[in-house]
């Protein structure tokens, strides 16, 4: 898959109506600061179409990026940021759940987990939500360049064990620096385009 064109088309807040279309959607979920914007920019080959921020918890909307005028990347709000009030967190949770429940064209959900750390309670809850809504998540283990190569397998095993993933759950290590994992992610999307 080659990405030639990418534009931010729709931004949905808590009360916004989600867009309706027939184009395939690929959603990205993950904790604040897990590297979601960096991954999306890396996949789109753009520097900063998806806003990266040194201030976690910035994405408080669902952002729809139209890719090649034929499908969408859907950037879900980052969860689990401590400085956000419980009511705000609950709102974002409802937004994410409403999206997972109502999207008619969602093909795959990518759940981003920082390869350096054991998945937290929020990650486990998100993983369960995705499964409960009938999707098999693909785990993207971000920040691969921040660990030694010798630690990779151990960390991937830690993620799989902590989430309770069975063997058919794919885990793809990704580095925003070297773009390792990019082609594998795009190939997966290609496979699911016509499902």
């Amino acid at each position: 898959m080659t990405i030639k064109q990418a534009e931010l088309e729709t931004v949905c807040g808590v009360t916004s109506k989600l867009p309706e279309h027939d184009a395939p959607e690929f959603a990205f979920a993950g904790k604040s600061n897990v590297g979601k914007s960096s991954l999306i920019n890396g996949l789109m080959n753009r520097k900063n179409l998806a806003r990266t921020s040194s201030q976690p918890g910035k994405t408080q909307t669902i952002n729809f990026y139209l890719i090649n005028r034929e499908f969408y990347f859907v950037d879900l709000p980052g969860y689990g940021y401590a400085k956000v009030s419980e009511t705000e967190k609950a709102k974002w949770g409802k937004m994410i759940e409403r999206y997972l429940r109502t999207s008619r064209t969602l093909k795959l959900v990518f759940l981003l987990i920082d390869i350096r750390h054991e998945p937290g309670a929020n990650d486990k809850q998100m993983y369960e939500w995705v499964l409960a809504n009938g999707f098999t998540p693909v785990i993207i283990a971000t920040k691969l360049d921040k660990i030694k190569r010798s630690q990779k397998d151990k960390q991937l095993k830690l993620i799989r064990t902590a989430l309770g993933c069975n063997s058919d759950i794919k885990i793809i290590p990704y580095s925003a620096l070297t773009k390792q994992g990019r082609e594998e992610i795009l190939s997966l999307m290609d496979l699911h385009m016509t499902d």
Side-chain angles (χ1 to χ4, degrees):
M1 174 188 287
T2 309
I3 293 184
K4 299 192 178 88
Q5 217 176 7
E7 57 186 296
L8 175 58
E9 189 184 81
T10 312
V11 175
C12 291
V14 176
T15 55
S16 310
K17 191 174 183 303
L18 292 167
E20 286 183 31
H21 50 242
D22 296 320
E25 293 177 352
F26 297 95
F28 297 85
K31 203 184 276 188
S32 297
N33 224 4
V34 74
K36 199 151 46 74
S37 300
S38 301
L39 168 73
I40 292 171
N41 284 327
L43 293 174
M44 295 190 296
N45 260 335
R46 295 290 189 281
K47 276 268 186 289
N48 54 5
L49 186 57
R51 290 271 177 257
T52 56
S53 170
S54 55
Q55 204 184 339
K58 263 303 208 214
T59 309
Q60 302 176 14
T61 50
I62 298 179
N63 299 333
F64 290 80
Y65 296 92
L66 179 59
I67 311 295
N68 294 346
R69 300 232 160 102
E70 56 178 336
F71 63 95
Y72 287 90
F73 284 174
V74 182
D75 184 6
L76 299 172
Y79 55 80
Y81 185 52
K83 285 188 183 164
V84 175
S85 73
E86 288 306 317
T87 47
E88 276 299 298
K89 282 184 197 165
K91 275 188 206 156
W92 297 353
K94 285 199 172 72
M95 261 171 99
I96 294 171
E97 213 176 0
R98 176 172 64 123
Y99 169 72
L100 291 175
R101 259 201 333 265
T102 59
S103 171
R104 293 178 301 108
T105 58
L106 179 56
K107 299 292 183 187
L108 266 185
V109 179
F110 293 98
L111 176 56
L112 281 62
I113 306 280
D114 187 328
I115 197 165
R116 298 171 299 175
H117 310 296
E118 184 176 339
N122 289 311
D123 296 316
K124 291 173 190 170
Q125 183 182 26
M126 190 71 216
Y127 176 75
E128 295 299 333
W129 266 3
V130 174
L131 288 173
N133 281 286
F135 295 97
T136 301
V138 173
I139 310 296
I140 299 181
T142 61
K143 307 192 189 248
L144 177 63
D145 43 272
K146 307 262 197 235
I147 62 167
K148 293 192 181 90
R149 195 174 290 174
S150 60
Q151 294 175 293
K152 185 180 92 172
D153 290 343
K154 180 174 131 304
Q155 292 307 109
L156 292 176
K157 190 170 181 231
L158 179 73
I159 291 172
R160 189 174 288 283
T161 307
L163 291 177
C165 299
N166 56 26
S167 55
D168 61 343
I169 298 279
K170 205 174 220 356
I171 301 182
I172 302 172
Y174 177 79
S175 161
L177 207 62
T178 65
K179 301 287 186 288
Q180 186 183 328
R182 181 179 187 270
E183 291 311 313
E184 197 178 341
I185 295 165
L186 292 173
S187 301
L188 258 187
M189 289 178 179
D190 249 347
L191 278 176
H192 286 80
M193 273 300 241
T194 49
D195 276 10

